[in-house]
Amino acid sequence: MAPSVGITPALMALGTTSDHASVVAITVFVTLLSACIVIGHLLEETRWMNESITALLIGLATGGLILLSTKGKSSRILVFSEDIFFIYLLPPIIFNAGFQVKKKQFFRNFMTIMLFGAIGTLISFTIISIGAIVFFNKMNIDNLDVTDFLAIGAIFAATDSVCTLQVLNQDETPLLYSLVFGEGVVNDATSVVLFNAIQKFDLVHMDVQHGLQFLGSFLYLFITSTFLGAAAGLLSAYIIKTLYFGRHSTDREVSLMILMAYLSYMLAELLDLSGILTVFFCGIVMSHYTWHNVTESSRVTTKHTFATLSFIAEIAIFLYVGMDALDIEKWRSVSDSLGKSIGLSAVLLGLILVGRAAFVFPLSFLSNLMKKSRNERISFKQQVIIWWAGLMRGAVSMALAYSKFAVSGHTQLRGNAFMITSTITVVLFSTMVFGLLTKPLTTLLLPPGMKRQDSISSDPGSPKSFFLPLLREKEGSEIEPGAQSVPRPPSGFRMLLTTPAHTVHHYWRRFDDAFMRPIFGGRGFVPFVPGSPTERSVHPW
């Protein structure tokens, strides 16, 4: 899973066999990564900038210097490979997202997150695809067919909420933070599953039967990938609990967790499933069971190891995107039609704005119907921030665009060059402009007083869990008959939506305590052995 593997000579396509050139490229890239971290840290207090924007700016500056030094021949020391991205750089990012997600909040808001992340992504995908067909044909873009237009919809439906999440405070706005974070991960997974499903079908001659097959393939990928990730996580938990690796070596525990997570991702890719979904749910299951079965030293090590690998991988991606934005080869292909390239980027940005608004506000209204209390509902100002959070496009969009419209980082067709340059423009503009405006918008819509109202005290059993419970109801409201405040039972459509969600959560907790944890371990279900994990250490995530 280590992203450092992706910064080895395997990543290099420098047009030379010289070992010295490879060493120079690695040295320069690692130096730039270090500069991104240092500068990003110095700018952290402003909360206007973050490592992603910093990496983009440094990448742009570096690309400009390389372009000048090579007299316009190249702007980069590396060539982007979508295979390297999906095999080495993406897994640690997605796994860490699942590993550090607040499970109680994620699953209590599971319906809302799935509405935004899955249904919302499909709505956005549909609007962007239809808009691309209408506008691109009017602009006479060559070499694009129906499959390409649908791929464009999947590419630009993939969000990047990094900037918004760095501005939002998970202690002050737990509900909002959880919704934005959860939706972002599910959105990325849905976009990649959609993209892969599109590549497998002949959509040029689409009919009802093929449409049903496409839908079935999408659902199969989504469900099977999820179960594979959960199975890998449970297997790792069972092995560590049964063999008790910590009795011999903490290194074995950490190594097994890393390798099992990466194995789940590679198995999904081998079986043509969604590695993103697989490794994400593997991370969730590992944090729920496996993490509590290892020694305390292993807990500290794994927490920081996964976060560090994810951090480095994300910076590396944005750094390269910045350098590649000035790649002269792509811009030379569209140099005689810069106006058309800018027009395409503007159309795509407009479709992104409309596509996101088309589902955020209606689905928020639907989600509010599930809520019993007014305090649990998503306010209009929060809806605006959720809408804004998904306007930025990042690494996943870039990787999918290169996978579809480039070969080993190079473009051969004019229409493909338009799509690559437009994707780069959209990523740069959305990250820089929308990202920089995130803090003032959030401050305007959510002043400190409103943030404090959204804040809820954490579970006393988990002092470092900042946004425990997202729902304003008492933790034991489902099982405590003596609660002072008994909400009125929902009726009509709200009863249909509300009751199943709480019932599923309640029965899952009972099933988990009765069957799952005794077998696979977890907090409170691991016997005390000197040096072993005990209840005195609480999951800090």
Side-chain angles (χ1 to χ4, degrees):
M1 289 183 59
S4 58
V5 179
I7 310 173
T8 61
L11 183 62
M12 306 302 165
L14 305 174
T16 176
T17 58
S18 172
D19 292 336
H20 177 72
S22 298
V23 171
V24 170
I26 296 173
T27 303
V28 172
F29 197 78
V30 172
T31 302
L32 293 174
L33 286 174
S34 302
C36 291
I37 295 173
V38 173
I39 297 174
H41 173 73
L42 295 176
L43 297 175
E44 183 181 16
E45 292 301 321
T46 65
R47 302 200 76 171
W48 285 73
M49 299 284 288
N50 56 63
E51 281 80 5
S52 300
I53 296 178
T54 303
L56 274 176
L57 291 175
I58 292 178
L60 284 169
T62 305
L65 292 175
I66 297 175
L67 200 63
L68 291 175
S69 64
T70 60
K71 297 181 180 180
K73 294 181 180 179
S74 176
S75 67
R76 60 196 179 188
I77 56 176
L78 312 173
V79 174
F80 189 91
S81 170
E82 61 276 6
D83 291 333
I84 296 299
F85 171 82
F86 281 110
I87 294 176
Y88 297 112
L89 298 181
L90 188 60
I93 296 175
I94 302 301
F95 176 80
N96 185 62
F99 191 75
Q100 63 103 359
V101 71
K102 305 299 188 279
K103 298 177 294 300
K104 190 175 295 184
Q105 288 70 32
F106 180 83
F107 287 106
R108 282 193 169 184
N109 292 273
F110 187 74
M111 291 301 297
T112 303
I113 289 173
M114 292 304 295
L115 276 176
F116 289 153
I119 306 301
T121 301
L122 292 175
I123 294 173
S124 180
F125 157 77
T126 302
I127 292 177
I128 294 174
S129 298
I130 294 175
I133 293 174
V134 173
F135 290 103
F136 284 22
N137 286 333
K138 292 182 178 179
M139 300 176 72
N140 296 322
I141 304 299
D142 302 327
N143 308 117
L144 297 180
D145 55 25
V146 174
T147 302
D148 295 324
F149 288 124
L150 293 177
I152 290 170
I155 290 169
F156 290 100
T159 65
D160 191 318
S161 305
V162 172
C163 295
T164 305
L165 289 175
Q166 292 195 1
V167 170
L168 292 176
N169 189 302
Q170 59 182 354
D171 190 18
E172 296 176 343
T173 56
L175 172 60
L176 193 58
Y177 188 95
S178 180
L179 291 178
V180 171
F181 174 81
E183 184 227 336
V185 176
V186 177
N187 166 276
D188 286 345
T190 305
S191 298
V192 174
V193 171
L194 263 177
F195 183 85
N196 291 335
I198 289 169
Q199 307 311 307
K200 296 177 181 179
F201 281 86
D202 180 15
L203 301 177
V204 178
H205 304 93
M206 176 63 72
D207 54 24
V208 175
Q209 181 178 357
H210 285 88
L212 292 176
Q213 290 179 351
F214 175 79
L215 179 61
S217 175
F218 174 79
L219 294 176
Y220 169 79
L221 285 173
F222 206 98
I223 296 173
T224 309
S225 301
T226 299
F227 277 102
L228 177 61
L234 291 174
L235 179 60
S236 68
Y238 183 78
I239 291 175
I240 290 180
K241 178 177 179 292
T242 303
L243 300 182
Y244 184 43
F245 274 48
R247 189 163 42 196
H248 306 289
S249 171
T250 295
D251 296 338
R252 291 191 178 96
E253 292 181 331
V254 178
S255 299
L256 184 64
M257 291 181 69
I258 294 175
L259 293 175
M260 287 295 292
Y262 190 61
L263 178 62
S264 71
Y265 184 88
M266 295 308 299
L267 280 176
E269 295 298 313
L270 185 65
L271 298 174
D272 292 326
L273 302 176
S274 171
I276 289 182
L277 269 178
T278 297
V279 79
F280 174 69
F281 279 96
C282 179
I284 290 179
V285 172
M286 278 193 176
S287 69
H288 188 63
Y289 297 107
T290 312
W291 193 84
H292 293 282
N293 297 343
V294 300
T295 57
E296 294 180 18
S297 59
S298 296
R299 295 181 186 183
V300 175
T301 303
T302 52
K303 181 185 72 172
H304 292 292
T305 298
F306 295 145
T308 301
L309 295 179
S310 173
F311 182 68
I312 294 176
E314 192 168 292
I315 295 177
I317 292 169
F318 278 98
L319 179 63
Y320 180 81
V321 169
M323 286 190 291
D324 194 61
L326 298 178
D327 179 36
I328 198 67
E329 174 194 345
K330 302 178 183 63
W331 291 105
R332 185 182 291 118
S333 301
V334 299
S335 59
D336 59 339
S337 303
L338 287 178
K340 182 182 290 188
S341 179
I342 295 174
L344 281 177
S345 302
V347 167
L348 289 171
L349 282 170
L351 291 174
I352 290 171
L353 289 165
V354 174
R356 183 145 185 93
F359 77 82
V360 167
F361 299 105
L363 293 184
S364 295
F365 172 78
L366 184 62
S367 174
N368 286 339
L369 293 176
M370 305 179 194
K371 311 299 182 181
K372 294 180 179 180
S373 170
R374 184 180 299 274
N375 292 330
E376 300 171 6
R377 299 172 187 171
I378 308 172
S379 67
F380 179 75
K381 292 182 178 180
Q382 290 175 326
Q383 293 175 32
V384 172
I385 294 179
I386 293 174
W387 168 72
W388 185 269
L391 295 179
M392 283 160 277
R393 296 298 179 265
V396 174
S397 294
M398 285 291 299
L400 294 180
Y402 273 86
S403 178
K404 179 64 179 177
F405 299 109
V407 178
S408 298
H410 300 280
T411 53
Q412 300 175 346
L413 300 176
R414 180 179 171 83
N416 291 357
F418 271 118
M419 292 314 308
I420 294 295
T421 54
S422 297
T423 303
I424 292 173
T425 303
V426 169
V427 169
L428 289 176
F429 182 89
S430 62
T431 302
M432 298 294 296
V433 177
F434 296 152
L436 288 174
L437 293 178
T438 296
K439 182 186 178 181
L441 177 68
T442 306
T443 303
L444 177 65
L445 296 178
L446 294 179
M450 181 175 292
K451 289 181 180 180
R452 284 194 295 270
Q453 291 176 2
D454 188 38
S455 179
I456 313 169
S457 60
S458 298
D459 186 344
S462 183
K464 291 187 179 180
S465 184
F466 293 122
F467 45 95
L468 278 179
L470 291 185
L471 297 178
R472 306 285 297 197
E473 65 192 37
K474 294 184 178 181
E475 176 68 21
S477 60
E478 294 175 304
I479 56 177
E480 293 180 2
Q484 296 179 356
S485 176
V486 180
R488 295 178 60 185
S491 59
F493 188 54
R494 281 185 56 200
M495 177 180 289
L496 179 64
L497 292 174
T498 304
T499 304
H502 292 285
T503 302
V504 170
H505 175 69
H506 172 66
Y507 282 107
W508 161 250
R509 289 175 58 188
R510 294 179 58 183
F511 175 78
D512 190 30
D513 291 341
F515 298 100
M516 299 296 290
R517 288 185 177 182
I519 298 175
F520 299 104
R523 188 169 62 191
F525 285 81
V526 180
F528 175 79
V529 179
S532 70
T534 66
E535 277 299 280
R536 66 179 178 270
S537 177
V538 181
H539 197 316
W541 294 65

